[in-house]
Amino acid sequence: MTESTTPGSRPRTVLLRRGEVHSPADPFATAMAVTGDRVAWVGSEAAADSLAAAADEIVDLDGALVTPAFTDAHVHTTAAGLALTGLDLATARSAADALARVRAHAAAQPGDGVLLGQGWDTTNWPEREPPARRELDEAAVGRPLYLSRVDAHSALATTALLDLVPGVDRLRGYHPTGPLTADAHHAVRRAADAGVSAEGRRAAQRAALRRAAALGIGAVHECAGPEISSEDDLAALIALAAREPGPRVFCYWAGLVTSAKDADRIRELGAVGAAGDLFVDGSLGSHTAHLHHPYADAPHTGTAHLTAHEVAAHVTACTEAGLQAGFHAIGDAALTAVTEGVRAAAERLGAARVRALRHRVEHAEMLTEDTVAAFADLGLTASVQPAFDAAWGGGDGMYARRLGPGRARTLNPFAALLGAGVPLAFGSDAPVTPLDPWGTLRAAAFHRTPGHRISVRAAFTAHTRGGWRALGHDDAGVLVPGAPADYAVWDTGELIVQAPDERLARWSTDPGSGTQGLPDLAPGAPLPGCLRTVVGGRTVYDRLNE
């Protein structure tokens, strides 16, 4: 591994040359120098000649592309790792297929411990129904089994797992045979998580972070909280990230703050904000997102977890403590509650004071013109997942089934958010959708609703600088002198400019415009392959010389 410094000596200088460097400092740059943990210089090949003699290492890029490392602004690290190392039902094609995979997983995991799986989605299954509890009991051979739906807002559980949660049948969201939601789901998830050993947790976290590094991701925002993980899980992740080379990990804890003492507790946990998955509602797939009007395929409007008054109290307490606040909100009614609550806090404390903290909203899918305008006015960051549209959008997708085609077409309006000046931070919500930064950019640029598409360049900014800006760091996520040396090297084809407006694309490809190209992300085109990922000047993934 390349180290940024040698113990007891000056910082090392690494010179990368004969490539393409994506930098606003020089749109035609082919070389970059890194000293220690910072970018020192970006420029032309001719100028690189004068720096070569003083460099400790020279990297011949051989035409490769250098970009800022990606930031994934919404990740559940342990769960993402368990999906990589354990039972992942994302590709199951039917209830019978899912049951067969459960049987095989149980046979491969001897003993009587809790079995974990995730990712099932009945949207395209022929029966449109998950396995019944008695079928899962048989497939798991009577063992405790927890299977979260792809959106992680409902789950299937065996009788043996339910027996570990006394009184679960009296909790909101309990179902005698089908998926659990709300409080019953959270209680069962806690029982399942308690069955993961410390070593199993470390292995999962390590697998997720290594996968992120291999995809050119230099930072992740861990969205933890009392209803979806545990304080021990958070502490273990922070310790692992500090101990082993890998992506930077910035943790959010979804605890409700009503006092300075609550805010202090959030900081004691090592979290950068009381945000992430602080649930205002649930998800569309599980029929728990909170809507103003009933679902097209269910006679209700979902589940509300927080009111506008509770949102206002949380934002007020966080702002007074100088702590970033945030919420999980998907349905239009939930987003109305968020914007009304934040506006009430702004009226009490002053809008400038609230805007300064860059409070954030995760997912923000079912926005209206009014809530988009409110996001812009209140300085809210939209932490969004374009892969959701790729997975569930379109005229025959899950969104259309849940909401009807008309409402479904309003979801994930990235162009409207950008047009209003709302800061975007892109993420995956892994394991809900996989870690896949270039695929995320493709999903945004080729949104299933053409009017919501944005340029690849804008999407790239949202997935690099956007995550850093969401943290309040405006000097990172870009390759300019003085910026953190977090970058990735890519094997890619011709660099082009892609924009939803053809007139803009024609202008931008004029060499005189100085607009930098990015890889071709058109559907079907091969995505770039990561050759090296560097975080703070330290190589955390490398196959450049293979």
Side-chain angles (χ1 to χ4, degrees), residues 31 35 45 51 81 85 121 178 180 262 279 296 357 395 450 467 526:
T35 298
E45 192 61 35
L51 301 175
T85 61
D121 184 357
L180 307 170
D262 291 339
F279 297 124
L357 270 297

Side-chain angles (χ1 to χ4, degrees), residues 350-393:
R353 193 174 174 191
V354 168
R355 289 192 194 105
L357 270 297
R358 305 186 187 186
H359 303 308
R360 53 190 284 172
V361 182
E362 309 301 314
H363 316 309
E365 291 197 82
M366 206 172 173
L367 291 158
T368 64
E369 289 186 9
D370 288 344
T371 46
V372 168
F375 268 51
D377 184 46
L378 297 167
L380 295 172
T381 293
S383 172
V384 294
Q385 296 74 40
F388 286 8
D389 175 73
W392 303 308

Side-chain angles (χ1 to χ4, degrees), residues 456-469:
V456 170
R457 183 184 181 192
F460 181 80
T461 299
H463 217 348
T464 50
R465 297 194 79 176
W468 283 101
R469 286 170 168 164

Side-chain angles (χ1 to χ4, degrees), residues 133 162 168-177 179-181 184-185:
R133 185 163 297 147
L162 295 176
V168 66
D169 57 340
R170 296 190 298 274
L171 296 177
R172 183 177 62 153
Y174 175 79
H175 192 284
T177 61
L180 307 170
T181 63
H185 174 219

Side-chain angles (χ1 to χ4, degrees), residues 256-283:
L256 200 61
V257 172
T258 58
S259 66
K261 183 178 179 180
D262 291 339
D264 289 342
R265 178 58 183 157
I266 298 290
R267 292 189 172 102
E268 288 169 3
L269 291 172
V272 297
D277 278 335
L278 180 53
F279 297 124
V280 179
D281 68 345
S283 73

